[in-house]
Amino acid sequence: MSSNVVPLEALLDLPNHARLLGLDLGTKTIGLALSDVERQIATPLETIRRVKFGQDAAALLKIAEKHAVSGLVIGLPLNMDGTEGPRVQSTRAFVRNLGPLTGLPIVFWDERMSTLAVTRTLLDADASRAKRAEVVDKMAAAYILQGALDRLMRLEADRSPED
């Protein structure tokens, strides 16, 4: 695995105001979400239509640079029972190839149920099928990133001395 892959706790040591980029890697698209500079709120950003790895990675890293991103949170599509299937292998291969192209730390985050949760939210909002298809990937990326941000905030609170 790439030496860039770090545990979530390593992101606590990033500089203040360092943004994180969340990724929902699909077979046809990559959904992207961006944290605020306080690393508290994830916002859907955009969706990259996948072409081939080199172009996908270049587009991703260009966006990361544009938004001064200091770390990547990539959804890991584990099976419901926690085992790793072909989609996890594909995600790990993507990260293995991406690692040498960037110095950014990369964290995997369990993404089970992210697309389902987002789709349900969109259905509850009465979004059309076309609208759901347009936004589901970047919203899933925001769901993934928000989960990681929430955990980071809890870890930070646990690490901070009591007043």
Side-chain angles (χ1 to χ4, degrees), residues 9-14 154-162:
E9 294 78 13
L11 299 182
L12 290 171
D13 297 325
L14 289 175
R154 285 192 300 276
L155 290 169
E156 183 67 45
D158 291 348
R159 188 164 100 164
S160 298
E162 296 288 324

Side-chain angles (χ1 to χ4, degrees), residues 15-152:
N16 288 339
H17 307 297
R19 292 177 182 263
L20 298 175
L21 188 67
L23 285 77
D24 178 40
L25 285 177
T27 55
K28 296 179 182 172
T29 61
I30 302 172
L32 302 176
L34 188 65
S35 76
D36 63 327
V37 295
E38 299 297 323
R39 293 194 295 268
Q40 295 182 0
I41 300 170
T43 304
L45 184 61
E46 65 181 90
T47 301
I48 297 173
R49 178 113 355 242
R50 293 193 70 174
V51 184
K52 60 182 183 179
F53 175 78
Q55 291 170 279
D56 299 345
L60 170 65
L61 294 176
K62 183 176 180 181
I63 291 165
E65 184 178 347
K66 174 184 175 186
H67 293 283
V69 166
S70 296
L72 304 175
V73 176
I74 299 182
L76 194 63
L78 297 168
N79 294 325
M80 290 308 293
D81 64 2
T83 60
E84 296 188 5
R87 289 193 55 229
V88 169
Q89 293 170 0
S90 175
T91 299
R92 289 190 188 281
F94 183 91
V95 169
R96 213 173 14 257
N97 292 326
L98 182 66
L101 303 178
T102 181
L104 294 175
I106 301 170
V107 170
F108 287 117
W109 186 256
D110 183 352
E111 72 162 51
R112 283 179 279 188
M113 306 295 284
S114 62
T115 301
L116 178 62
V118 167
T119 301
R120 283 192 179 152
T121 300
L122 291 168
L123 285 170
D124 290 347
D126 207 22
S128 69
R129 183 182 302 268
K131 183 64 174 173
R132 288 194 311 267
E134 179 186 317
V135 301
V136 70
D137 297 316
K138 63 185 176 183
M139 287 186 67
Y143 185 92
I144 291 163
L145 181 56
Q146 189 64 55
L149 293 173
D150 291 348
R151 179 72 180 133
L152 276 172

